[in-house]
Amino acid sequence: MTRSMPSTSRSLPIALIRAREGVMQPIREMLSKTGITEQQWRVLRVLAEYGPLDTTTLADRASLLFPSLTRIATTMRNKGLITQTRDETDRRRQFIAITPEGQKIIDDHAEQAAKIVAGFRAKLGDDHYETLLDLLGQLDPGSRE
Amino acid sequence: MTRSMPSTSRSLPIALIRAREGVMQPIREMLSKTGITEQQWRVLRVLAEYGPLDTTTLADRASLLFPSLTRIATTMRNKGLITQTRDETDRRRQFIAITPEGQKIIDDHAEQAAKIVAGFRAKLGDDHYETLLDLLGQLDPGSRE
DNA sequence: GCTATTTCCTTAACATGTTAATTGTTGCGA
DNA sequence: TCGCAACAATTAACATGTTAAGGAAATAGC
């Protein structure tokens, strides 16, 4: 009747942390030479894929909390990787766009990043890889749409 | 020949982040009333399961980086949740143990935590849940032993 | 024994995660 | 139009992630 919590060795939260660490390790290694962080890379990726976005949408697509994005945007603006412009219709809003310098970082590393991901896909196998993404999606509260 | 990076909507790193966020949300909510963080909860969990541990082993089992554990241990020691004692044989080393107050936090919330995890297990189904843990394990570089 | 290396841990510095409070803006209804 | 709720974004405060450097104790060789 002692509810015996699951052993930490089979704990879902810990398994997620470790898997993330394993996946990000080579990506961080690649990015360390560019001077940008994993989160800044995500911002560039999203902007490159969707074009200029308002801050709310960008935060959502890059999976960043608002306060984090505020700080990251300041850093990236100072680095010349993005531009921030106010919406003149609704001056509360803001649009963020990637600059040519930002796009260059994407272009210069897209191939290597793709190889890293392909490596994980090959390691698991195509079917298992898709299964994994599906199962992870079921744990994401924001993926009900 | 354009290597076309995977859309961020099917990106493994982002899927891992979002899944982790989804799983941790209810756990953080539970812990907010106790005043301890998710990481402090992990430390207590590991100590309750394995007994007193040296810092290196604890950091490994709780998936915390060393500098983080140093700070977390200081906080938890000040809260009276753990004790830190030097190894007199090898005075570089240190042992960390859970206190009765720390154990009480585990005891008071083990049932609720188990229910939360059971909820995710039920949502995915037993088979898929085990599959997920196995696949995540394959992404963990430290699970080769 | 004595130095160089290794090991265990801590500090430092910067970036992000997390929650709460705050500041500007817009819109709306009395 | 005045006041107030709602909204977008920032700031604040604290904790952690991440990498690099530092410090103290043990160990290996010579």
Side-chain angles (χ1 to χ4, degrees):
Chain A
M1 169 213 70
T2 321
R3 56 246 143 284
S4 79
M5 303 183 62
S7 161
T8 49
S9 59
R10 287 296 272 183
S11 157
L12 180 56
I14 290 184
L16 287 169
I17 292 171
R18 291 186 174 158
R20 179 165 142 60
E21 184 183 357
V23 170
M24 290 316 300
Q25 184 58 40
I27 295 179
R28 261 200 293 274
E29 196 170 340
M30 170 186 83
L31 293 177
S32 69
K33 299 161 191 168
T34 71
I36 73 172
T37 66
E38 166 198 337
Q39 289 82 357
Q40 294 171 15
W41 171 254
R42 280 216 302 280
V43 169
L44 291 180
R45 283 275 313 273
V46 170
L47 291 175
E49 179 175 352
Y50 294 98
L53 291 175
D54 65 277
T55 311
T56 301
T57 306
L58 175 56
D60 183 55
R61 300 226 165 117
S63 280
L64 292 170
L65 292 178
F66 238 80
S68 296
L69 182 53
T70 294
R71 287 176 304 211
I72 293 171
T74 302
T75 303
M76 295 180 77
R77 182 159 29 82
N78 291 337
K79 286 183 180 175
L81 302 177
I82 59 169
T83 60
Q84 277 175 298
T85 56
R86 284 226 163 279
D87 180 346
E88 286 306 320
T89 307
D90 182 345
R91 300 178 27 129
R92 290 173 300 187
R93 288 197 169 174
Q94 209 173 162
F95 283 98
I96 297 185
I98 193 170
T99 64
E101 298 94 285
Q103 184 64 50
K104 178 166 168 44
I105 291 183
I106 293 287
D107 293 340
D108 288 349
H109 296 87
E111 191 171 357
Q112 190 178 352
K115 278 185 189 168
I116 292 172
V117 174
F120 285 110
R121 192 185 185 98
K123 181 169 185 175
L124 297 186
D126 282 357
D127 288 352
H128 286 164
Y129 190 87
E130 294 299 325
T131 299
L132 176 58
L133 284 178
D134 289 340
L135 291 174
L136 291 175
Q138 292 186 46
L139 297 176
D140 173 14
S143 71
R144 302 241 167 74
E145 326 122 30
Chain B
M1 171 212 65
T2 321
R3 57 249 143 279
S4 79
M5 304 184 62
S7 162
T8 49
S9 59
R10 287 296 273 184
S11 157
L12 181 56
I14 290 184
L16 287 169
I17 292 171
R18 291 186 173 157
R20 179 165 142 60
E21 184 183 357
V23 170
M24 290 316 299
Q25 184 58 40
I27 296 180
R28 260 201 293 272
E29 196 169 341
M30 170 186 84
L31 293 177
S32 69
K33 299 160 190 168
T34 72
I36 73 172
T37 67
E38 165 198 337
Q39 289 82 357
Q40 293 171 15
W41 170 255
R42 279 216 303 280
V43 169
L44 292 179
R45 283 276 313 273
V46 171
L47 291 175
E49 179 175 351
Y50 294 99
L53 292 176
D54 65 277
T55 310
T56 301
T57 307
L58 175 56
D60 182 56
R61 300 226 164 118
S63 280
L64 292 170
L65 292 179
F66 238 81
S68 296
L69 182 53
T70 295
R71 285 176 305 212
I72 293 170
T74 302
T75 304
M76 295 180 77
R77 182 159 29 82
N78 292 337
K79 286 183 180 174
L81 302 178
I82 62 170
T83 60
Q84 277 176 300
T85 57
R86 283 227 164 279
D87 180 346
E88 286 307 320
T89 307
D90 182 342
R91 299 174 32 128
R92 290 171 303 185
R93 289 196 168 177
Q94 213 174 158
F95 284 98
I96 297 185
I98 193 169
T99 64
E101 298 94 284
Q103 184 65 49
K104 178 167 167 44
I105 291 184
I106 293 286
D107 294 339
D108 288 349
H109 297 86
E111 190 170 358
Q112 190 177 352
K115 278 184 188 168
I116 292 172
V117 174
F120 285 111
R121 192 186 185 98
K123 181 169 185 176
L124 297 187
D126 282 358
D127 288 351
H128 285 165
Y129 190 87
E130 294 299 325
T131 299
L132 175 58
L133 285 178
D134 290 339
L135 291 174
L136 291 175
Q138 292 186 47
L139 297 177
D140 174 15
S143 71
R144 302 239 168 74
E145 324 121 32

